[in-house]
């Protein structure tokens, strides 16, 4: 194994853009389907994996939402979270900010309480066992009515304490960030952080809108930013981070080849870019695979990998003590290399 692969494995990492529902490996999907007596249109794991060929985002979302049907009870959330955090910890990911889509589960009669009843103990146990920490992002679906998200957020009550931020995901084209100004105003008043998927398939002005109207502190993806040089300057000057997901972009045909990915150009221009996994069970890999493909494509060495990792540690949804500790871990790792 090349030395850089060892470096990537040993590097303490943070995944800031991972959807819990996108971490269900085929094996888990079948296990939950059987447990909950949910019929799925695939005979075995092999057949299911074959279905993981997507033309674009909407294509993928159909398969992804179909996959979420197998989740029916708190125990399922526990198992999914536990499995993901184990895998992440095996790769030396020491923190993960995880998106959860409440609307997807409310449709099945699963409440936020039920979701958290599974997720929180799994996160606490993983922290105790591996030292990995988690931040939760309440992720709203942009193709659904604003009123739905406003109701969920306004009725969240004490459960708010378990979430670091709100997010906005799903079908992007035709659903501009501007539609969700009221939601982000509410989140801001509640003291939540704010992130939004923008410029994945959508144009650069969606990124601009997310910054100008939603006042986000992070942009998820942001691939189309290079189409607007003025916006590149703004994002560089403000150091608003981009949580980019190269393997996701490749699998959803946002790019045809990793050489087209803007991350290398953006890093060289001084933007605060990070590398993340998005939906790792669907896109062929977790953090290591994403870091590897970018490093190989752009001839990155330890310096670039440390920079994107430090960027992630700088903006992870963690408390100040945890950030100090994460930085210490990274510093120790980096010093042990010299
Ligand atoms: N939900 C899960 N993965 C997503 C992605 N890549 N883009 C938008 N919404 C998503
Ligand atoms: Zn995403």
């Amino acid at each position: 194994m090349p030395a850089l692969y060892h470096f990537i494995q040993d590097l303490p990492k943070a995944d800031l853009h991972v959807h819990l529902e996108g971490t269900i490996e085929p094996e888990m999907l079948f296990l939950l389907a059987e447990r909950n007596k949910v019929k799925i249109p695939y005979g075995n794991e092999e057949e299911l994996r074959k279905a993981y060929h997507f033309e674009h985002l909407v294509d993928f979302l159909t398969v992804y939402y179909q996959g979420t049907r197998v989740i029916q009870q708190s125990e399922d959330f526990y198992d999914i979270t536990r499995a993901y955090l184990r895998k992440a910890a095996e790769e030396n990911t020491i923190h993960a900010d995880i998106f959860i889509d409440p609307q997807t589960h409310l449709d099945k009669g699963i409440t936020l309480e039920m979701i958290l009843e599974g997720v929180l103990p799994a996160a606490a146990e993983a922290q105790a066992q591996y030292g990995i920490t988690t931040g939760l992002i309440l992720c709203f679906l942009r193709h659904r009515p604003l009123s739905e998200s406003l109701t969920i957020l306004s009725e969240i009550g004490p459960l708010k304490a378990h979430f670091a931020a709100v997010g906005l995901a799903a079908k992007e084209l035709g659903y501009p960030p501007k539609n969700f100004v009221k939601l982000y105003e509410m989140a801001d008043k509640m003291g939540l952080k704010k992130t939004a998927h923008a410029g994945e398939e959508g144009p650069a002005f969606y990124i601009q809108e997310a910054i100008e109207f939603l006042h986000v502190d992070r942009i998820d993806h942001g691939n189309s930013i290079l189409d607007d040089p003025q916006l590149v300057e703004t994002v560089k000057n403000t150091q608003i981070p981009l949580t980019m997901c190269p393997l996701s972009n490749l699998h959803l045909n946002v790019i045809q080849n990793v050489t087209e990915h803007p991350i290398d150009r953006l890093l060289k221009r001084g933007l605060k870019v990070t590398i993340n996994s998005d939906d790792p069970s669907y896109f062929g890999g977790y953090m290591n695979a994403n870091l590897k493909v970018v490093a190989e494509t752009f001839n990155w060495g330890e310096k670039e990998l440390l920079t994107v990792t430090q960027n992630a540690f700088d903006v992870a949804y963690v408390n100040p003590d945890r950030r100090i500790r994460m930085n210490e871990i990274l510093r120790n790792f980096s010093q042990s290399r010299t």
Side-chain angles (χ1 to χ4, degrees):
M1 203 199 281
L4 200 65
Y5 290 6
H6 284 292
F7 179 85
I8 288 170
Q9 166 61 33
D10 294 345
L11 177 68
K13 294 169 278 280
D15 192 347
L16 306 185
H17 180 162
V18 56
H19 298 263
L20 184 65
E21 298 86 349
T23 68
I24 313 173
E25 291 288 344
E27 189 186 5
M28 176 72 73
L29 201 139
F30 273 91
L31 186 145
L32 300 184
E34 195 169 325
R35 177 191 287 170
N36 296 318
K37 309 276 173 278
V38 175
K39 279 203 167 57
I40 45 172
Y42 311 102
N44 54 44
E45 289 172 30
E46 182 89 9
E47 269 182 40
L48 180 58
R49 279 192 199 279
K50 281 202 184 117
Y52 292 177
H53 288 283
F54 314 109
E55 286 292 313
H56 39 61
L57 175 60
V58 173
D59 239 26
F60 158 69
L61 290 171
T62 306
V63 176
Y64 166 90
Y65 292 128
Q66 191 175 53
T68 63
R69 287 169 45 248
V70 301
I71 313 173
Q72 293 290 336
Q73 42 186 327
S74 300
E75 190 188 353
D76 306 336
F77 284 98
Y78 173 87
D79 288 341
I80 296 165
T81 308
R82 203 74 171 85
Y84 163 66
L85 290 172
R86 186 187 331 110
K87 261 192 185 308
E90 277 168 8
E91 291 200 338
N92 262 318
T93 293
I94 64 167
H95 178 81
D97 282 334
I98 305 175
F99 291 95
I100 300 176
D101 300 351
Q103 283 149 301
T104 304
H105 306 296
L106 282 166
D107 287 349
K108 298 174 286 184
I110 299 171
T111 62
L112 212 45
E113 281 89 344
M114 290 162 72
I115 296 173
L116 293 173
E117 242 169 67
V119 171
L120 295 177
E125 285 172 30
Q127 183 169 0
Q129 192 172 353
Y130 315 115
I132 188 169
T133 49
T134 53
L136 298 182
I137 304 171
L138 195 60
C139 185
F140 293 101
L141 308 181
R142 68 204 312 158
H143 59 279
R144 304 264 292 237
L146 167 70
S147 58
E148 230 177 63
S149 55
L150 288 174
T151 303
I152 294 169
L153 193 58
S154 64
E155 292 177 356
I156 194 165
L159 299 183
K160 190 199 84 177
H162 302 297
F163 290 95
V166 293
L168 194 61
K171 194 171 168 183
E172 186 178 13
L173 286 169
Y175 300 92
K178 213 173 171 179
N179 294 353
F180 288 85
V181 167
K182 280 208 173 95
L183 177 72
Y184 278 69
E185 278 174 0
M186 187 186 285
D188 192 61
K189 285 201 185 100
M190 294 168 83
L192 288 160
K193 301 277 190 192
K194 296 165 298 204
T195 187
H197 285 53
E200 180 185 14
E201 279 192 345
F205 82 83
Y206 279 21
I207 304 172
Q208 171 76 33
E209 278 193 8
I211 294 169
E212 195 176 328
F213 297 109
L214 305 187
H215 304 288
V216 292
D217 48 74
R218 299 204 311 221
I219 290 285
D220 300 309
H221 294 292
N223 291 61
S224 58
I225 192 168
L226 283 169
D227 296 340
D228 182 345
Q230 187 60 47
L231 183 60
V232 173
E233 268 316 289
T234 305
V235 172
K236 177 187 166 177
N237 294 335
T238 53
Q239 289 287 285
I240 294 173
L242 305 182
T243 69
M244 309 198 94
C245 309
L247 282 177
S248 161
N249 299 150
L250 189 64
H251 280 79
L252 300 185
N253 287 317
V254 169
I255 49 172
Q256 303 311 309
N257 192 298
V258 183
T259 52
E260 295 166 21
H261 202 283
I263 191 156
D264 185 58
R265 282 167 284 171
L266 295 173
L267 181 72
K268 287 181 173 136
R269 293 279 294 273
L271 277 76
K272 206 168 184 78
V273 291
T274 66
I275 295 183
N276 309 275
S277 72
D278 208 7
D279 301 286
S281 68
Y282 291 95
F283 302 143
Y286 289 69
M287 285 299 290
N288 283 355
N290 277 280
L291 289 164
K292 220 179 274 177
V293 76
V294 171
E296 275 170 354
T297 305
F298 298 113
N299 212 12
W300 282 13
E302 298 185 3
K303 181 170 163 274
E304 290 85 357
L305 291 164
L306 282 167
T307 301
V308 291
T309 303
Q310 183 65 64
N311 286 349
F313 283 21
D314 288 346
V315 300
Y317 292 144
V318 293
N319 65 37
D321 285 348
R322 178 61 180 154
R323 197 177 322 279
I324 289 169
R325 181 65 197 131
M326 284 165 61
N327 284 331
E328 231 170 48
I329 294 171
L330 187 58
R331 213 169 30 248
N332 289 343
F333 168 77
S334 164
Q335 281 166 0
S336 74
R337 310 280 312 166
T338 53

